[in-house]
Amino acid sequence: MRLSRDVVLDAALRFVDEHGVQALSMRKLGASLGVEGMALYYYVPNKDALLDGLVERVTEALTDELPDRELPWQEWLRRFAHAMRAVLTRHPALLPLLATRDVMTPAFLGAFETALEVLGSFQPKQAVHVFNSVTTFVLGHVLAEAGRAGQHPPEFPGGYPLIARAVAAGAGHDDDAERFDFAIGALLDGFDRRLCT
């Protein structure tokens, strides 16, 4: 296989999706590509650069799914939030990196710029707050989803009748998409009221 930075990053993304970030090393990544780990340093100078490259890959995937900028801002943000959730849920092992490393890659900055254009009805600082609120919420929600993946729904002891009633009505461990959509709708309603005042 002919190596390039793209080939190395794609292989690293597959490796992390399968084994997690903690298992990633240049030696193991090299082995997955059929080369010595040292051969990778020509394309990524160190592990930090490799991790930054993984963040870059995810933000590029997100910008590939940006909604049409001609949409009303509410619908653009709703679709952006759902696209971001879809991208992040495909790579749950990378969530800690995305929560702790600089995500201001050229791809993400392009998405940010588009968002501020779409949010042109807001004051510039307010528009930044709106976009930040949405992206922070999506990341936190997907982190929570990933943390519960594979777990059985919790069983609540007696003495909590309102919780029992809510669970009986369908609120539970398996309605992440519904909770996500509800919360995004509430955020958008709140932003709309802020704009109108």
Side-chain angles (χ1 to χ4, degrees):
M1 174 184 295
R2 188 178 181 85
L3 290 183
S4 67
R5 184 173 184 272
D6 285 341
V7 167
V8 170
L9 292 180
D10 288 344
L13 187 56
R14 288 191 301 272
F15 184 95
V16 169
D17 284 344
E18 186 174 349
H19 305 288
V21 173
Q22 297 302 322
L24 180 64
S25 70
M26 294 299 224
R27 181 183 59 78
K28 291 177 183 175
L29 181 58
S32 76
L33 287 165
V35 299
E36 292 292 327
M38 291 299 292
L40 304 182
Y41 287 99
Y42 180 79
Y43 306 98
V44 282
N46 52 48
K47 189 171 178 183
D48 269 347
L50 182 61
L51 297 178
D52 288 341
L54 289 173
V55 170
E56 184 183 314
R57 271 293 185 266
V58 174
T59 58
E60 286 170 351
L62 175 60
T63 57
D64 287 343
E65 299 189 26
L66 286 182
D68 183 341
R69 70 180 66 200
E70 300 304 318
L71 289 168
W73 68 264
Q74 298 95 327
E75 185 59 22
W76 191 94
L77 278 178
R78 183 187 310 280
R79 292 189 190 189
F80 173 83
H82 281 279
M84 182 175 173
R85 176 175 178 257
V87 169
L88 296 183
T89 53
R90 289 198 295 267
H91 306 289
L94 285 178
L95 292 170
L97 284 183
L98 294 164
T100 57
R101 295 185 82 86
D102 182 10
V103 298
M104 293 299 173
T105 65
F108 188 80
L109 288 172
F112 195 179
E113 184 74 10
T114 299
L116 296 186
E117 179 185 337
V118 171
L119 294 167
S121 304
F122 291 86
Q123 295 297 319
K125 186 175 180 180
Q126 214 177 22
V128 170
H129 291 334
V130 167
F131 187 66
N132 183 66
S133 297
V134 170
T135 56
T136 302
F137 167 75
V138 175
L139 181 58
H141 196 282
V142 178
L143 272 165
E145 287 183 55
R148 292 191 302 270
Q151 295 179 3
H152 295 293
E155 291 188 15
F156 297 101
Y160 301 94
L162 296 180
I163 294 175
R165 187 171 150 196
V167 170
H173 194 64
D174 59 349
D175 61 352
D176 285 321
E178 183 180 340
R179 280 199 297 265
F180 182 85
D181 198 50
F182 178 88
I184 287 296
L187 275 174
L188 295 178
D189 288 346
F191 297 148
D192 200 25
R193 283 196 292 274
R194 283 294 182 101
L195 185 58
C196 293
T197 57

